[in-house]
């Protein structure tokens, strides 16, 4: 490892601990990270203890072992999520821990694996982590998703570079995306967060009842509840501590009205889901429900995603990201949603966030449902933005306000 990389990893770890989850004195820290990202994970643990963490717990993952399991383990392994895994997460939630997820997986790690195994496990883990997901989606605890450069992922993003060079390039792209080159990255994020929140405030003032999207392959209307709230990734947990749920983040987003989406929408970037790539797909909605999902690549896996439960037939997020966002301008296709969703307008199939309706953080699941917030065991963003996309905001009295023109903000 070069001296430059090791100093950047230290700065990055500091940013994750301070801005990402904002570790408080005496708090537990739960980290999920790949063995390939060990150096970053160690730096994160060290910075977390410096910030006063009581205990740093690490759940290690390994792409090679994951693939081996999918190929060789007994079929029933994928049908049940171990109870001890569920209680482990829940006990950390109870302790008021913070959660750091470091992603670095090969985007098509499970290509060729029996899709029944993949969807069985997606379903089992989705059900097993229901409580945990609820804690996250209502900001009960602080959490963040960040990335580390992995060899296979880097090779996919930079196919023309040599192995070592590809990894270097991916680290550079990750560091740039989280503003590590700024003199004071923590301060740069305070400013960035303010900019995103200002945009959210402007949208909130307009009280749109609907958004109408048009682009090649897209003519879609998304309804919004009268109590919907536009937010940015910077949020506050139940104890009042701020955190940044995704790094990078360039989006402002809200929750669609569950039964209010009509028309069709086409993807503009590939989606890596369950270790497989889904690409060039088109989804058709009637009264919120997905009635058709077609894809040139990965149609079977896309339909398995929609079939995972009833809620996966509906949307849970509508997010706006200008085509001129820095990640989009980098021209890099990451094959990883954490990055690609921040380069493009996107929607999410599955559950909605409670904090996207007024008072939602303390609502019961039934109250959320009554406010049109979808519930599901899954939540998957998919990218629909392009330089050709126009979006109109339509108010309850029928007034039309241009929100996006040719892929960028018009508001
Ligand atoms: Zn999003
Ligand atoms: Zn999302």
């Amino acid at each position: 490892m070069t001296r430059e990389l090791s100093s950047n990893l230290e700065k990055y770890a500091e940013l994750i601990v301070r801005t990402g989850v904002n570790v408080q004195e005496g708090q537990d820290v739960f980290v999920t990270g790949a063995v390939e990202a060990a150096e970053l994970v160690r730096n994160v643990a060290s910075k977390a203890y410096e910030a006063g963490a009581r205990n740093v717990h690490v759940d290690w993952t390994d792409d090679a072992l994951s693939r081996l399991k999918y190929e060789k383990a007994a079929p029933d392994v994928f049908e049940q999520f171990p109870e001890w895994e569920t209680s482990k997460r829940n006990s950390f939630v109870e302790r008021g821990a913070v959660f750091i997820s470091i992603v670095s997986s090969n985007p098509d790690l499970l290509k060729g694996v029996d899709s029944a195994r993949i969807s069985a496990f997606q379903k089992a883990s989705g059900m097993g982590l229901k409580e945990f997901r609820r804690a996250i989606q209502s900001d009960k605890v602080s959490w963040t998703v960040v990335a580390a450069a992995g060899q296979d992922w880097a090779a996919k993003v930079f196919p023309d570079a040599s192995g070592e060079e590809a990894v270097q390039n991916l680290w550079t792209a990750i560091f740039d995306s989280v503003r590590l080159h700024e003199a004071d990255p923590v301060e740069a994020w305070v400013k960035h967060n303010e900019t995103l929140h200002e945009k959210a405030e402007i949208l909130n003032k307009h009280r749109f009842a609907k958004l109408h999207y048009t682009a090649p392959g897209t003519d879609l209307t998304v309804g919004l509840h009268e109590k919907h709230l536009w937010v940015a990734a910077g949020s506050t947990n139940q104890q009042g501590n701020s955190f940044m749920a995704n790094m990078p983040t360039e989006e402002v987003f809200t929750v669609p009205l569950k039964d209010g989406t009509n028309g069709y929408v086409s993807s503009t970037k590939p989606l890596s889901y369950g270790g497989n790539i889904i690409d060039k797909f088109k989804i058709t909605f009637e009264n919120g429900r997905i009635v058709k999902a077609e894809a040139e690549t990965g149609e079977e896996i896309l339909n398995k995603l929609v079939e995972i439960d009833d809620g996966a037939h509906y949307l849970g997020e509508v997010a706006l990201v200008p085509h001129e966002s820095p990640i989009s301008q980098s021209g890099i296709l990451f094959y990883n949603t954490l990055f690609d969703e921040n380069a493009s307008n996107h929607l999410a199939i599955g559950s909605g966030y409670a904090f996207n309706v007024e008072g939602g953080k303390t609502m019961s699941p039934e109250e959320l449902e009554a406010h049109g917030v979808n519930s599901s065991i899954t939540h998957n963003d998919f990218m629909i933005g392009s330089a050709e996309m126009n979006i109109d905001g339509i108010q309850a009295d029928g007034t039309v306000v241009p929100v996006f023109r040719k892929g960028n903000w018009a508001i």
Side-chain angles (χ1 to χ4, degrees), residues 132-154:
F132 173 66
R133 199 174 44 255
R134 195 167 290 157
I136 289 220
Q137 292 188 333
S138 63
D139 283 352
K140 185 173 175 183
V141 293
S142 298
W143 56 284
T144 195
V145 183
V146 298
Q151 195 99 53
D152 292 344
W153 178 23

Side-chain angles (χ1 to χ4, degrees), residues 25-42:
E25 188 74 39
Q27 248 182 338
D28 283 24
V29 178
F30 190 109
V31 184
T32 312
V35 288
E36 225 180 330
E39 201 50 42
L40 176 62
V41 173
R42 291 185 197 113

Side-chain angles (χ1 to χ4, degrees), residues 251 317 341 346 348 353 379-381:
E251 63 178 327
E317 176 187 327
E341 71 163 311
H346 58 274
Y353 290 97
H379 174 104
N380 280 282
D381 291 25

Side-chain angles (χ1 to χ4, degrees), residues 148-321:
Q151 195 99 53
D152 292 344
W153 178 23
K156 178 94 185 164
V157 181
F158 299 102
D160 300 329
S162 72
E164 188 72 356
E165 202 188 324
V167 173
Q168 291 272 357
N169 290 350
L170 186 52
W171 271 126
T172 304
I174 292 171
F175 293 151
D176 282 349
S177 77
V178 296
R179 299 173 154 74
L180 216 64
H181 49 265
E182 303 267 356
D184 184 346
V186 172
E187 191 47 40
W189 272 87
V190 171
K191 289 214 181 73
H192 177 50
N193 189 35
E194 278 168 13
T195 309
L196 292 174
H197 276 93
E198 279 163 18
K199 207 46 129 178
E201 276 318 301
I202 293 172
L203 289 165
N204 282 330
K205 286 208 181 93
H206 280 284
R207 303 315 311 155
F208 292 125
K210 282 177 196 167
L211 295 176
H212 180 215
Y213 291 73
T214 47
T218 294
D219 186 350
L220 188 78
T221 304
V222 177
L224 301 174
H225 192 275
E226 58 181 12
K227 295 249 170 89
H228 75 272
L229 281 180
W230 291 92
V231 304
S235 198
T236 308
N237 73 10
Q238 256 177 17
Q239 284 76 45
N241 301 319
S242 62
F243 67 97
M244 194 64 59
N246 283 188
M247 298 177 86
T249 182
E250 301 290 337
E251 63 178 327
V252 292
F253 62 100
T254 188
V255 64
L257 186 61
K258 182 173 177 179
D259 57 6
T261 303
N262 284 288
Y264 54 91
V265 65
S266 293
S267 68
T268 50
K269 288 179 194 289
L271 167 66
S272 172
Y273 167 72
N276 280 268
I277 301 280
I278 307 169
D279 199 10
K280 299 196 167 57
F281 53 101
K282 182 178 175 187
I283 301 179
T284 307
F285 295 84
E286 271 174 34
N287 299 323
R289 193 172 177 88
I290 295 174
V291 291
K292 206 196 295 179
E294 308 151 277
E296 276 183 32
T297 305
E299 184 169 284
E300 191 191 355
I301 202 102
L302 174 61
N303 278 289
K304 285 229 156 75
L305 161 61
V306 174
E307 294 300 329
I308 202 163
D309 66 0
D310 196 64
H313 291 76
Y314 296 85
L315 294 178
E317 176 187 327
V318 47
L320 300 175
V321 181

